[in-house]
Amino acid sequence: MAKVKISKKSTRIDMTAMCDVAFLLLSFFVMTATARLPEPHPVDAPASTVQTKLPEDGLATITVGDQKVFFTILGKEVRRKTLERISSKYNMPFTEGEYEAFSNVQGFGVPLNELKGLLKLEPAERNKEGLQKGIPYDSINNQLGDWVEFARQANKEVLEMRIANGEDVPFKDLDIAIKGDADEEYPTIKRVIDILQEQKKNRFFLVTGLRNEDF
């Protein structure tokens, strides 16, 4: 009886298609990812099973941790016009270089009399631990309330300018988000909320981390 010779099949796998898909996915994530902004005082937000995506513009974030308050404003134009209003109220002039430096500062947490010193530092030095002491927010020296109020006014002015230039943008009040540390004491968070409510700002975001529903 003749032997049947079984032909050997190649075990080589063509990985070309898989490599193409991998590079396409990598390119997609690189182009769509949003870089995490440096924070002057990182906090560990409380966990939640529900998360709402924050707006990508027209937003200011109040960060609370260790009984200190920090403020972040999105948008260079809004930041500059906010500082112009602060400068006028407190009769504290700023140079053009300081305005430009502040317009590039994502977040800060210092009393107004220390802001000029903060702007003189290199960007990498501004977020050193312990450097920024927080924005005053008590009833006697409520600088946080002024920052919030003037940021809302500045945002309104910028939107009006954009609409006048023919841009199709929604006209809305500046959104506010509160990002508090999970271990922060309640009176500090309540004081921040009271400041917002004093300005009739009763709708705001609460920033939380995502946790599994089983926990």
Side-chain angles (χ1 to χ4, degrees):
M1 184 175 179
K3 293 182 179 180
V4 179
K5 188 175 182 181
I6 301 175
S7 60
K8 293 182 179 179
K9 294 183 179 180
S10 174
T11 56
R12 180 178 177 273
I13 300 176
D14 189 357
M15 300 292 291
T16 305
M18 187 176 292
C19 290
D20 289 342
V21 172
F23 278 113
L24 284 173
L25 288 173
L26 180 61
S27 301
F28 171 79
F29 288 125
V30 168
M31 289 186 289
T32 59
T34 303
R36 183 175 181 179
L37 301 177
E39 296 179 305
H41 189 82
V43 297
D44 184 16
S48 171
T49 58
V50 179
Q51 278 192 321
T52 302
K53 186 177 180 181
L54 296 177
E56 296 182 358
D57 58 3
L59 175 72
T61 302
I62 301 172
T63 303
V64 185
D66 298 326
Q67 298 182 345
K68 300 176 184 177
V69 173
F70 303 81
F71 198 48
T72 301
I73 311 171
L74 296 184
K76 292 184 64 173
E77 288 184 277
V78 179
R79 285 195 288 267
R80 181 186 177 101
K81 292 186 179 298
T82 302
L83 185 60
E84 289 174 354
R85 286 166 167 77
I86 286 286
S87 171
S88 176
K89 174 173 181 176
Y90 287 87
N91 194 25
M92 181 179 291
F94 290 85
T95 65
E96 181 60 32
E98 289 170 337
Y99 277 117
E100 181 63 25
F102 185 79
S103 68
N104 291 313
V105 171
Q106 295 288 350
F108 65 97
V110 293
L112 192 58
N113 60 354
E114 297 181 13
L115 184 58
K116 283 178 173 286
L118 181 69
L119 298 177
K120 290 179 181 178
L121 300 176
E122 293 295 324
E125 298 177 339
R126 292 173 187 156
N127 292 332
K128 285 185 177 179
E129 185 177 356
L131 178 64
Q132 301 190 41
K133 303 174 183 178
I135 300 171
Y137 57 95
D138 57 77
S139 57
I140 298 175
N141 185 17
N142 184 16
Q143 292 184 20
L144 175 63
D146 291 330
W147 282 111
V148 172
E149 179 182 359
F150 292 140
R152 294 172 69 185
Q153 294 177 8
N155 181 72
K156 179 181 178 182
E157 181 182 350
V158 169
L159 285 178
E160 289 174 342
M161 292 171 55
R162 293 176 63 184
I163 292 172
N165 291 332
E167 292 188 48
D168 184 16
V169 293
F171 188 79
K172 63 183 182 67
D173 188 23
L174 180 72
D175 287 314
I176 304 292
I178 299 176
K179 183 179 181 181
D181 192 273
D183 296 326
E184 186 57 60
E185 296 181 2
Y186 172 73
T188 307
I189 301 295
K190 184 179 184 303
R191 173 58 185 157
V192 172
I193 294 176
D194 288 344
I195 289 173
L196 296 180
Q197 292 183 329
E198 288 168 5
Q199 300 185 27
K200 309 300 181 184
K201 188 67 174 177
N202 297 312
R203 294 174 62 90
F204 44 84
F205 295 92
L206 293 176
V207 181
T208 60
L210 186 64
R211 67 177 173 85
N212 192 303
E213 294 184 2
D214 295 332
F215 292 92

